[in-house]
Amino acid sequence: MIDCIFCKIVDGVTHAEITHQAEEIIVFKSIQPRAPVHLLIIPKKHVLSIKELTEEDRNLTSSLIYTAKEVAEREHLPGYRLAFNVGRAGGQVINHLHLHLLGGWKDGELTEV
Ligand code: 5GP
Ligand code: ZN
């Protein structure tokens, strides 16, 4: 088994607060939230990052974004931020592709990118 914390969450070996499960994707709460709502949307498949995507992963990445939209609706978020950190130089710490869904700020709380 690959020594990957997110694969362990997918396999149920490591606990996480999972909020959504689909065929290819799971969604769970970040252990260190950077926003009132901070969810991670990940493929069950171990893909390292956006840099390592292949042609066959095209549909998978659209599914991640579409899942983010569905989850945001369910969470009643009027607006939100989606982010991929790509590679260590892009702030990526966990080497298993994940889409950050951040939201739930009060008016005036959100700083611009
Ligand atoms: P990155 O910096 O790699 O883009 O983001 C990694 C994200 O994973 C961060 O939001 C971090 O808090 C979250 N994270 C890291 N380890 C764990 C863990 O063991 N469980 C959960 N639920 N989130 C984690
Ligand atoms: Zn993994």
Side-chain angles (χ1 to χ4, degrees):
M1 188 197 200
I2 307 163
D3 191 20
C4 166
I5 187 75
F6 284 5
C7 282
K8 287 179 179 160
I9 290 172
V10 169
D11 291 340
V13 176
T14 296
H15 173 78
E17 269 194 72
I18 295 173
T19 63
H20 182 85
Q21 295 247 32
E23 199 184 325
E24 293 186 303
I25 289 172
I26 64 165
V27 183
F28 54 91
K29 292 186 182 177
S30 168
I31 210 164
Q32 263 190 310
R34 307 281 171 165
V37 176
H38 186 173
L39 298 171
L40 301 169
I41 299 153
I42 76 163
K44 290 182 180 173
K45 178 183 170 188
H46 182 79
V47 176
L48 287 171
S49 83
I50 291 284
K51 271 198 282 190
E52 282 80 17
L53 286 177
T54 63
E55 185 73 30
E56 71 170 32
D57 298 320
R58 272 177 179 267
N59 290 342
L60 185 59
T61 40
S62 332
S63 294
L64 291 176
I65 295 171
Y66 199 81
T67 301
K69 169 215 146 76
E70 289 180 321
V71 169
E73 275 169 10
R74 199 170 313 157
E75 297 278 334
H76 305 292
L77 297 175
Y80 47 94
R81 192 170 266 177
L82 297 177
F84 287 106
N85 293 333
V86 185
R88 192 69 201 93
Q92 186 177 0
V93 175
I94 305 290
N95 293 320
H96 180 130
L97 182 65
H98 51 280
L99 176 58
H100 293 264
L101 168 60
L102 301 142
W105 301 282
K106 296 192 186 84
D107 283 350
E109 242 181 11
L110 177 62
T111 50
E112 286 176 18
V113 173

